[in-house]
Amino acid sequence: MDFADAALLLAAGLAAGTVNAVAGGGSLITFPALLAIGLPPVPANVTNSLSVAPGYLAAVAGSRVDLPRSRLLVAVVPTTVVGALAGAGLLLITPARAFELVVPFLVLGATALLAFQDPLRRLVGHPRELTPRRRAVTVQVVVALAAVYGGYFGAAVGVMLVAGLALVLDATLARVSAIKNLLSAVIGLTTLVIFAIAGPVNWAGVAVVAPATLVGGYAGARLVRRLPSAVLKTIIVGFGTVIGGYLLWRALA
């Protein structure tokens, strides 16, 4: 890795950490950057997953005051770990092509959920109208699906988590974003362990990108607390649409 490669990865890491904390999808900055310095797709994906994990921890630190103190949050952590393990296992043992074709539609679908959150709530019922049992089950399903996706590919997992959780939780978007940061960190740490043991990691890339995502993640989480909900939703929907469109173009190219 020469100086130009390192500078590219450093800039990508800073941007990705900030984007992940605000909206999710920062991996679509670092992943192409790792491809650009010459890594094949699978090693780039694995290296990317390890590299962005520290940024999620920084985002949790930056948004910790918005995290709810609830048993439901504790209950979804094991689900997140199991889902991330399943997704990481799928990446290591199955061809990526079929999933690559599905991923764009998952991201675009999650973005649409967030964009049309209010009409959908009127259709399926507001979270405060759900029974505690139904709400708990729904949250577990949303988290499990997002964790499997996050363990497999990871890019835009934040968009998927925010979209699903905002639909089923009666909470501000800043609080939902804080929960997203925590669950993204759990997914990131789980895949970090699996890929560090069994994945084709480029450790030089990790050494450059990971510290940059720490700085960006903390800064992005602090920014979220200052944004009105409407502005934050617009940013997340915008990122989700761009990310989904990019992934669809990449899958069909």
Side-chain angles (χ1 to χ4, degrees):
M1 183 186 302
D2 59 23
F3 178 79
D5 291 342
L8 173 64
L9 293 183
L10 183 64
L14 285 168
T18 303
V19 169
N20 277 338
V22 174
S27 289
L28 289 179
I29 300 172
T30 47
F31 180 64
L34 289 164
L35 293 175
I37 68 169
L39 293 184
V42 172
N45 189 25
V46 171
T47 302
N48 180 66
S49 294
L50 267 68
S51 298
V52 300
Y56 290 130
L57 293 175
V60 172
S63 61
R64 63 189 181 279
V65 296
D66 289 314
L67 280 172
R69 274 63 175 176
S70 68
R71 286 180 293 178
L72 180 61
L73 188 59
V74 175
V76 296
V77 170
T79 302
T80 307
V81 172
V82 173
L85 286 172
L90 282 173
L91 176 64
L92 294 176
I93 65 174
T94 62
R97 180 58 184 165
F99 201 82
E100 284 178 358
L101 293 172
V102 175
V103 164
F105 297 100
L106 293 176
V107 175
L108 290 171
T111 302
L113 279 178
L114 185 60
F116 300 102
Q117 174 186 336
D118 292 333
L120 285 170
R121 277 183 168 179
R122 288 193 292 270
L123 182 65
V124 302
H126 195 278
R128 70 173 65 101
E129 298 170 357
L130 301 177
T131 65
R133 179 179 178 81
R134 183 181 175 188
R135 183 167 56 248
V137 170
T138 305
V139 170
Q140 291 282 4
V141 171
V142 167
V143 170
L145 292 174
V148 171
Y149 169 82
Y152 189 93
F153 186 55
V157 66
V159 174
M160 300 182 76
L161 280 168
V162 169
L165 293 174
L167 188 63
V168 298
L169 292 179
D170 185 18
T172 65
L173 207 53
R175 173 154 288 188
V176 169
S177 183
I179 297 172
K180 174 264 296 180
N181 288 337
L182 176 63
L183 298 183
S184 295
V186 173
I187 293 170
L189 290 174
T190 303
T191 56
L192 187 153
V193 172
I194 299 300
F195 292 152
I197 295 172
V201 182
N202 182 288
W203 290 106
V206 173
V208 175
V209 177
T213 65
L214 272 169
V215 177
Y218 187 81
R222 303 296 292 179
L223 175 63
V224 166
R225 301 197 67 240
R226 292 170 170 77
L227 291 176
S229 291
V231 174
L232 183 56
K233 179 186 286 190
T234 300
I235 292 172
I236 297 173
V237 169
F239 268 111
T241 303
V242 171
I243 290 164
Y246 168 78
L247 287 173
L248 183 60
W249 171 81
R250 186 168 165 268
L252 299 178

